């Protein structure tokens, strides 16, 4: 299934070989792999070996949380990652260092009522995209949706991924978002059979409904 040119799709938290191959056939724009050992979606060493064989134009994305920069660099080289997504307290300088490795840098922020959007200003020249996720005790993959109206407070031009608990039921709401900075939709735990194993049929339904919406 060819995805529409407008909005990009990222499917995150892939960890099983056969499931990765099935998803690759749907050609999401981004396929995310968790390199955070505390996550139930942590990529296994065997599955990680497949990442470099995932065909372009799918952008293979490594997700890290406060990882040593040398380790991230090693993973970029070992697996040929095309994008890096950061879910910890990584600084603008840390992000800038990674950009020099010729990868897209996506910096995630957990959004809630108390989020101070001015913190984003110092990241503008150090990242390619922001990713707005739901603020929780953990770093990601919560399955919880934040109040998208809070993004009315976002006043920078940097494009962003919308993330956090997105499910089939949100297609219509996504259709109503009138914001040219919305670059991609990030799908994860709401499309899982179990952590790390995606329901390909459900993903296909989401993509089909979004395509119908966009046509
Ligand atoms: O998914 C995880 O287990 C995870 C753990 C630690 C850091 C990031 C993680 N996921 C990153 C993602 O990009 C998720 O897609 C994003 O948090 C939204 O997840 P969900 O709320 O399950 O849709």
């Amino acid at each position: 299934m060819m995805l529409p040119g407008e909005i990009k799709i990222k499917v995150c938290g892939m960890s099983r070989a056969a499931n990765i191959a099935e998803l690759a056939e749907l050609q999401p724009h981004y396929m995310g792999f968790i390199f955070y050992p505390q996550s139930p979606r942590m990529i296994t060493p065997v599955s990680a070996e497949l990442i470099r064989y995932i065909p372009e134009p799918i952008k293979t994305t490594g997700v890290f949380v406060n990882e040593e920069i040398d380790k991230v660099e090693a993973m970029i080289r070992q697996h040929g990652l095309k994008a890096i997504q950061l879910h910890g307290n990584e600084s603008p300088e840390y992000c800038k260092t990674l950009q020099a490795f010729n990868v897209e840098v996506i910096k995630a922020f957990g959004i809630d009522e108390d989020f101070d959007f001015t913190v984003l200003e110092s990241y503008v020249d150090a990242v390619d995209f922001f990713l707005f996720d739901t603020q929780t005790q953990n770093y990601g993959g919560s399955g919880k949706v934040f109040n998208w109206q809070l993004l009315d407070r976002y006043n920078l031009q940097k494009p962003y991924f919308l993330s956090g608990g997105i499910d089939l039921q949100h297609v219509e709401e996504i259709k109503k978002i009138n914001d040219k900075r919305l670059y991609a939709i990030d799908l994860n735990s709401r499309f899982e059979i179990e952590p790390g194993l995606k329901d390909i049929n459900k993903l296909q339904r989401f993509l089909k409904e979004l395509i119908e919406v966009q046509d």
Side-chain angles (χ1 to χ4, degrees), residues 101-118:
F101 299 135
N102 209 18
V103 288
E104 288 181 4
V105 175
I106 305 163
K107 178 71 186 88
F109 292 90
I111 306 299
D112 64 9
E113 283 289 340
D114 299 325
F115 184 73
D116 175 9
F117 280 90
T118 65

Side-chain angles (χ1 to χ4, degrees), residues 127-175:
V127 306
D128 295 281
F129 302 100
F130 292 128
L131 181 145
F132 298 130
D133 199 352
T134 307
Q135 175 63 39
T136 60
Q137 299 280 9
N138 298 320
Y139 293 104
S142 70
K144 295 189 175 134
V145 186
F146 70 92
N147 175 6
W148 297 349
Q149 303 252 299
L150 293 171
L151 295 182
D152 290 348
R153 300 179 193 166
Y154 175 55
N155 62 4
L156 302 172
Q157 290 311 308
K158 185 69 67 183
Y160 64 89
F161 286 57
L162 183 63
S163 183
I166 297 175
D167 203 336
L168 260 182
Q169 73 197 51
H170 296 114
V171 171
E172 288 301 318
E173 279 172 78
I174 290 168
K175 172 171 71 169

